[in-house]
Amino acid sequence: MNELFIDADGNIYTLEDVKKALLGIGADDCETLFIHSDIMFGAPAVGFKRKEYLNILYCTIKELGIKNLIVPTFTYSFCNHEDFDVLHSRTSMGAFNEYIRKMDGRYRSLDPLLSVSVPKELQAQFENLSDHSLGEKSGLDILHHMDGVKFLFFGVDMAECFTYVHYVEKMMDVPYRFDLPFEGNVIDYNGKLIKKRQYIHTQCMGVKLPERYGYFETFLLDKGFLKHRRLGNKYISCLSEKDAYREIRDQIYEDKYYFLEQPYEDKDLIHKYTYDYTTSRITHC
C-alpha cells in the first residue's frame, strides 16, 4: 500500500494520498511554488527514518513537475544578535525547509533576516538582494515580479505564518510599521565575514497585531482564492501570489486597520522595536 503516515484517528495515508491532495488544491498549476511547511501530518509509518520521510515528501512535490521550488529559510539572525552563516545557520521555518536548503543544487540568499533557498538556476536573480528584507529587490519582491508563482502551505497554518503580508504592507508604506536597522556579520559561501546593516519593516510599539489572520484566511477561502484539503492531522492549502498581493492590497485600501487587532492613534506610532531576544528567540517581524 506504500504507507507513509497514520493520523490521530488511525487513518493510513500513502504517497498517492499526498499527491492527490496536492493536485486537488492546484499546487501543480504554477511555474514556481513557494513552500511554508510543518510536515507533522501524522506518525510516520514504521521503518521510515527522518531523512527518508523528508525526502519522500520532497520527491512527491517534485513529481508534480513544477519548474522551481523555493522555500523560506528565515533565521532573523541579526534580530537575535547572531552572525548569519549562509551555509550553517539553521532556519526556524521547519525541518522540511531545512532539509531542502541543504540539498545539492540549491542557492541560499545572503539575507541575514529573511533568506530564501532557490534552485541554482535562479541564483543570479537572488544573489544581489537589497539591504531591506521586505523592500524593493528583497527576496519576496523578486518573487512578486516572477510569473506563475503560488504559495503552498504544507501542513502549516497560513493565518499564522504569512510573512508576505508584511512585504505588501512595506510596498504600501503603511504608517503602523517602520524601517528598523539591525547590524551584524554575514559569513558568505567562501567563509568571508562581512559586516552588514539590514533593515526590516516592523510594527510600531503602540500598535497591536492579531495573533493570527484567521479572518483573512476565511475570506480567501470564501472567495475561492485559497484552496485547501485535509491531509492527516493537518491541512494543506495553496494560493497564487498575484491573488495574494491584490487581496492584501485591496483590504488595506478599504480598511487601513484590517491587519491590526484594533485601530491605532497617532500616539501609538512609536518607532521602537517590540520584541526582546533575551526572553525568547525572535522568529517573526
Side-chain angles (χ1 to χ4, degrees):
M1 189 189 295
N2 200 16
E3 297 178 4
L4 185 57
F5 57 83
I6 304 169
D7 70 13
D9 296 322
N11 298 309
I12 297 171
Y13 290 80
T14 67
L15 293 179
E16 290 72 25
D17 293 322
V18 175
K19 189 171 183 178
K20 183 178 180 180
L22 288 166
L23 292 172
I25 59 173
D28 61 316
D29 186 21
C30 61
E31 290 188 16
T32 298
L33 198 60
F34 188 89
I35 307 172
H36 289 278
S37 68
D38 179 353
I39 47 82
M40 296 304 295
F41 298 105
V46 177
F48 278 126
K49 294 181 180 179
R50 182 179 180 82
K51 284 188 176 181
E52 184 180 8
Y53 178 66
L54 294 171
N55 186 62
I56 289 172
L57 291 176
Y58 172 76
C59 290
T60 302
I61 295 176
K62 283 286 289 183
E63 287 175 4
L64 298 177
I66 300 158
K67 184 178 179 181
N68 304 310
L69 297 182
I70 298 180
V71 294
T73 54
F74 306 165
T75 60
Y76 297 93
S77 295
F78 286 6
C79 304
N80 290 287
H81 289 226
E82 299 170 351
D83 290 348
F84 174 69
D85 187 327
V86 68
L87 292 176
H88 301 109
S89 292
R90 291 181 60 85
T91 178
S92 59
M93 304 301 288
F96 187 64
N97 289 26
E98 176 72 2
Y99 175 77
I100 293 174
R101 78 102 181 157
K102 293 171 71 174
M103 298 179 73
D104 292 336
R106 307 285 304 180
Y107 173 78
R108 186 188 201 181
S109 64
L110 291 172
D111 186 326
L113 306 181
L114 304 183
S115 64
V116 294
S117 171
V118 304
K120 268 283 190 179
E121 292 77 12
L122 296 180
Q123 177 174 341
Q125 292 178 244
F126 286 86
E127 64 181 350
N128 293 308
L129 301 182
S130 74
D131 61 0
H132 196 302
S133 294
L134 291 167
E136 291 184 0
K137 296 185 179 179
S138 65
L140 291 178
D141 188 52
I142 299 298
L143 192 78
H144 173 59
H145 289 93
M146 296 171 65
D147 293 325
V149 177
K150 282 190 174 182
F151 295 104
L152 171 63
F153 303 95
F154 196 47
V156 74
D157 184 355
M158 188 217 84
E160 293 182 352
C161 72
F162 205 16
T163 305
Y164 186 79
V165 168
H166 305 320
Y167 160 68
V168 182
E169 289 174 320
K170 169 58 182 174
M171 292 297 99
M172 298 179 70
D173 195 25
V174 296
Y176 53 83
R177 300 182 80 87
F178 70 102
D179 292 337
L180 180 68
F182 290 91
E183 294 184 351
N185 299 315
V186 171
I187 303 171
D188 70 11
Y189 283 94
N190 297 314
K192 181 180 178 181
L193 189 146
I194 305 165
K195 291 189 178 298
K196 185 173 177 60
R197 174 178 289 180
Q198 189 74 15
Y199 294 81
I200 200 163
H201 205 223
T202 191
Q203 71 187 81
C204 294
M205 174 168 273
V207 170
K208 294 185 179 181
L209 303 184
E211 290 186 7
R212 59 193 302 276
Y213 297 133
Y215 56 94
F216 183 52
E217 182 177 23
T218 299
F219 168 81
L220 293 172
L221 285 167
D222 289 346
K223 292 294 184 179
F225 299 127
L226 183 70
K227 309 292 184 182
H228 79 159
R229 293 285 188 281
R230 182 88 186 196
L231 185 62
N233 297 330
K234 296 180 174 291
Y235 283 90
I236 64 172
S237 54
C238 203
L239 171 68
S240 85
E241 187 276 336
K242 298 305 180 191
D243 286 342
Y245 190 96
R246 183 191 64 250
E247 296 306 318
I248 295 167
R249 179 199 62 198
D250 289 354
Q251 291 301 324
I252 295 173
Y253 276 144
E254 185 174 332
D255 177 5
K256 64 181 180 180
Y257 306 120
Y258 186 83
F259 288 103
L260 300 178
E261 179 68 30
Q262 61 189 37
Y264 59 81
E265 299 179 9
D266 288 346
K267 65 181 178 62
D268 298 321
L269 303 181
I270 306 166
H271 288 192
K272 188 175 181 180
Y273 199 41
T274 59
Y275 305 112
D276 182 359
Y277 79 98
T278 64
T279 59
S280 62
R281 182 170 180 79
I282 294 171
T283 58
H284 51 284
C285 59

